[in-house]
Amino acid sequence: MKQPQERRVALVTGASRGIGRAIALGLATAGFDLALNDIARQRTALDQVCVEAAAHGSKTLALAADVSRRDEVQAMVTDVVTAFGRIDALINNAGILIPSPVVSLAEVDWDAVMDVNAKGTFLVTQAVLPHMRACKYGRIVNIASIGGKHGAPEQAHYSASKAAVMGFTRVLAQEVGVNGITANCLCPGIIVTEMGRTNLADPETRAQWLRVTALRRLGQPEDVAGPAVFLASDAAAFVTGQTLNVCGGIVLS
Ligand SMILES: NC(=O)c1ccc[n+]([C@@H]2O[C@H](COP(=O)([O-])OP(=O)(O)OC[C@H]3O[C@@H](n4cnc5c(N)ncnc54)[C@H](O)[C@@H]3O)[C@@H](O)[C@H]2O)c1
């Protein structure tokens, strides 16, 4: 186990389940202390992830906040810095998917998806940046999606929000590199989570995804954790402004 003075501090949003939970536990295994966020109604599950991370030796803090609300985000980041003194890594993972064809897409659903996925990434990043700049060190990992590159029917707003995250990250990397901060995106493919099951509604759809995946299997949340831990680590010191597909070979580039 790393000694306390060597331990880095990560903030992971949407960490109570799925990919966020797997990334949190991956970071715990890698020796990070953890500030873990989710919305208030996920509090019980979030506390359980804290217990699991603590079993790996991590100091943990659970934070209920809606990433699309500036006031809640500011209070959350203040609490993290008060507890840990700094934030070395930020994983912007919180996201939602509300499937709808464009022709009947409700404005409220467009706004909700853009608010959490795109604006939430911006708000949390903006709140964290002064603390990273003060330390001249930071790792920002934004969870986008292969859906932001190609997309799928009924996911136009989701696809737009994830494309926004990628564009945001590329510019962010250019702005903050001078401060010793890196910013990168991960683009998961079909990952078996509550959200991922939306893409796996019936056996035929599932079979179709398997056919177009080079590795011929669906992704598990832990498949995303490894690349996220890498990008959050010192090993990725010279990697910034990049977008990495974590999709088993659906998108080949
Ligand atoms: N599962 C997939 O196939 C897949 C593919 C590509 C990208 N992604 C992305 O990965 C990320 C994690 O998704 P997942 O599959 O684990 O989904 P999930 O639904 O299991 O988890 C998402 C988490 O985000 C939290 N969340 C939602 N709105 C929030 C808000 N306003 N503030 C704070 N937390 C909020 C949820 O409560 C939940 O715990 C998302 O950004 C998603 O878009 C998932």
Side-chain angles (χ1 to χ4, degrees):
M1 190 189 304
K2 287 192 176 180
Q3 296 306 304
Q5 68 272 19
E6 299 172 330
R7 298 180 67 84
R8 297 230 183 253
V9 177
L11 167 60
V12 185
T13 67
S16 75
R17 69 184 194 194
I19 292 170
R21 172 182 172 276
I23 291 173
L25 296 179
L27 289 167
T29 306
F32 280 75
D33 288 330
L34 294 173
L36 301 182
N37 152 270
D38 214 298
I39 48 177
R41 71 167 180 269
Q42 288 294 111
R43 185 60 197 240
T44 305
L46 189 63
D47 286 342
Q48 180 55 35
V49 180
C50 286
V51 170
E52 293 176 72
H56 293 285
S58 298
K59 188 177 162 195
T60 63
L61 178 67
L63 302 131
D66 179 337
V67 297
S68 68
R69 296 281 308 270
R70 179 186 288 277
D71 52 345
E72 295 186 25
V73 167
Q74 286 293 349
M76 170 177 77
V77 170
T78 299
D79 286 350
V80 178
V81 175
T82 301
F84 293 105
R86 60 184 204 282
I87 301 173
D88 300 302
L90 166 64
I91 318 295
N92 280 307
N93 166 79
I96 58 172
L97 169 64
I98 309 171
S100 170
V102 174
V103 69
S104 57
L105 174 54
E107 189 177 343
V108 66
D109 288 344
W110 170 276
D111 287 345
V113 169
M114 294 302 282
D115 279 358
V116 176
N117 298 3
K119 191 169 82 175
T121 297
F122 153 61
L123 288 176
V124 182
T125 301
Q126 191 181 54
V128 166
L129 272 182
H131 305 288
M132 288 184 168
R133 290 175 66 158
C135 294
K136 295 186 167 39
Y137 181 93
R139 299 275 181 272
I140 298 171
V141 183
N142 293 330
I143 308 302
S145 171
I146 62 166
K149 295 183 169 181
H150 186 267
E154 303 195 357
Q155 298 185 12
H157 45 335
Y158 181 81
S159 179
S161 74
K162 294 301 189 179
V165 169
M166 286 185 251
F168 174 75
T169 307
R170 282 192 288 268
V171 175
L172 179 67
Q174 295 172 60
E175 291 185 359
V176 300
V178 69
N179 305 118
I181 301 167
T182 66
N184 293 286
C185 274
L186 293 178
C187 287
I190 305 298
I191 312 295
V192 182
T193 65
E194 297 287 320
M195 182 190 293
R197 288 188 187 95
T198 312
N199 293 308
L200 302 166
D202 54 73
E204 177 49 25
T205 311
R206 190 183 180 96
Q208 262 172 16
W209 280 117
L210 286 174
R211 267 198 297 278
V212 299
T213 305
L215 292 176
R216 296 292 190 274
R217 69 171 177 85
L218 301 170
Q220 297 300 321
E222 293 71 23
D223 289 316
V224 186
V229 171
F230 165 65
L231 290 174
S233 77
D234 290 337
F238 206 52
V239 182
T240 197
Q242 303 303 308
T243 297
L244 176 64
N245 301 318
V246 187
C247 63
I250 297 174
V251 176
L252 302 168
S253 64

